[in-house]
């Protein structure tokens, strides 16, 4: 069974954004409902037929940097994806306990490490003020697009360690994605999986990474 990381032995927290700090409900509604709806309207499909067309395309790119790239999807679907996100931007918000967790982690080096495109990151900062929690010493807000690799891909964590100079044995990665955590763990980084990434869906079962429903469970 995976064990809870020793909070006092950690000095660097690598934090995913969507499904870890912010509610994945926004992203699920956007990609699974709004994008098919708007694409269908433009191309003469009803919502279900649009999903049948788009979901296999989404699956082919899932886990690659293209999947997270708004420029790629704007070109692929001939739609202004970044602009479309603003239609439901009111759904962007923190998951329960996140702000308290970030406040309780002020003695750690906080690094936001998201696969999200910079346009997505900037919109979410605008809607939540998330950047206000990343003002400490060494704190950063990074996108995988800065490195040309998604977090799931081989070589990503080596590149990140070279960039940040963290010690894997004193570093924790928190994410809702098991494939991301698998690659981080293979690099020697401690891992925690969030089990309630979407507030509108049931809690997920714990897997082979230590799982939490609220990030506050990690704080001693």
């Amino acid at each position: 069974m995976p064990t809870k990381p020793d909070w006092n032995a950690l000095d660097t927290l690598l934090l995913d954004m969507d499904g870890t700090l912010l509610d994945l409900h926004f992203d699920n509604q956007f990609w699974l409902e709004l994008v098919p709806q708007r694409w269908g309207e433009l191309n003469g499909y009803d919502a279900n037929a649009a999903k049948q067309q788009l979901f296999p395309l989404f699956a082919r790119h899932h886990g690659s940097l293209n999947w997270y790239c708004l420029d790629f999807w704007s070109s692929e679907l001939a739609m202004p994806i970044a602009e479309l996100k603003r239609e439901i931007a009111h759904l962007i918000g923190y998951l329960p306990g996140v702000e308290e967790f970030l406040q309780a982690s002020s003695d750690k080096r906080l690094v936001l490490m998201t696969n999200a495109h910079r346009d997505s990151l900037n919109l979410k900062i605008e809607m939540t003020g998330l950047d206000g929690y990343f003002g400490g010493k060494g704190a950063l807000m990074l996108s995988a697009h800065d490195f040309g690799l998604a977090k799931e891909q081989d070589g990503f964590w080596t590149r990140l360690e070279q960039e940040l100079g963290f010690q894997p044995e004193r570093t924790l990665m928190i994410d809702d994605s098991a494939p991301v955590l698998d690659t981080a763990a293979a690099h020697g980084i401690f891992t925690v999986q969030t089990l309630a990434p979407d507030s509108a869906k049931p809690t997920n079962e714990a897997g082979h990474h230590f799982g939490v429903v609220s990030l506050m469970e990690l704080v001693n």
Side-chain angles (χ1 to χ4, degrees), residues 121-151:
L121 175 57
N122 290 338
L123 174 61
K124 290 173 179 180
I125 288 172
E126 176 187 332
M127 298 302 295
T128 65
L130 180 60
D131 57 332
Y133 291 105
F134 288 82
K137 184 178 180 181
L140 292 168
M141 304 186 81
L142 300 175
S143 165
H145 293 261
D146 303 333
F147 300 89
L149 291 168
K151 292 184 290 185

Side-chain angles (χ1 to χ4, degrees), residues 18-33:
D18 304 315
T20 298
L21 302 182
L22 302 184
D23 196 338
L24 197 61
H25 181 58
F26 165 80
D27 302 273
N28 285 335
Q29 285 295 113
F30 182 77
W31 290 108
L32 303 182
E33 301 298 336

Side-chain angles (χ1 to χ4, degrees), residues 9-12 14 109 161 164-172 187-190:
L10 300 169
D11 55 29
T12 299
L14 305 175
R109 183 189 187 189
E161 184 181 354
L164 300 185
F166 61 79
Q167 296 176 282
E169 68 276 10
R170 296 186 59 81
T171 300
L172 174 66
H187 193 73
I189 298 169
F190 288 105

Side-chain angles (χ1 to χ4, degrees), residues 103-116:
Q103 291 167 354
S105 306
S106 59
D107 62 329
K108 313 288 186 188
R109 183 189 187 189
L110 299 182
V111 178
L112 182 79
M113 190 60 259
T114 178
N115 275 329

Side-chain angles (χ1 to χ4, degrees), residues 31-95:
W31 290 108
L32 303 182
E33 301 298 336
L34 184 61
V35 168
Q37 178 187 340
R38 293 288 182 262
W39 185 86
E41 291 168 356
L42 289 172
N43 293 279
Y45 293 95
D46 64 25
N48 287 332
K51 290 177 182 180
Q52 290 175 5
Q53 293 289 319
L54 293 181
F55 286 1
L57 177 62
F58 291 167
R60 284 201 295 275
H61 292 281
H62 197 268
S64 73
L65 206 58
N66 279 346
W67 169 240
Y68 304 99
C69 182
L70 304 193
D71 296 331
F72 173 81
W73 289 114
S74 293
S75 175
E76 192 77 7
L77 304 179
M79 296 168 58
I81 296 296
E83 182 179 319
L84 192 62
K85 286 197 170 206
R86 291 190 173 273
E87 284 196 29
I88 58 169
H90 62 280
L91 296 178
I92 298 171
Y94 291 100
L95 285 165

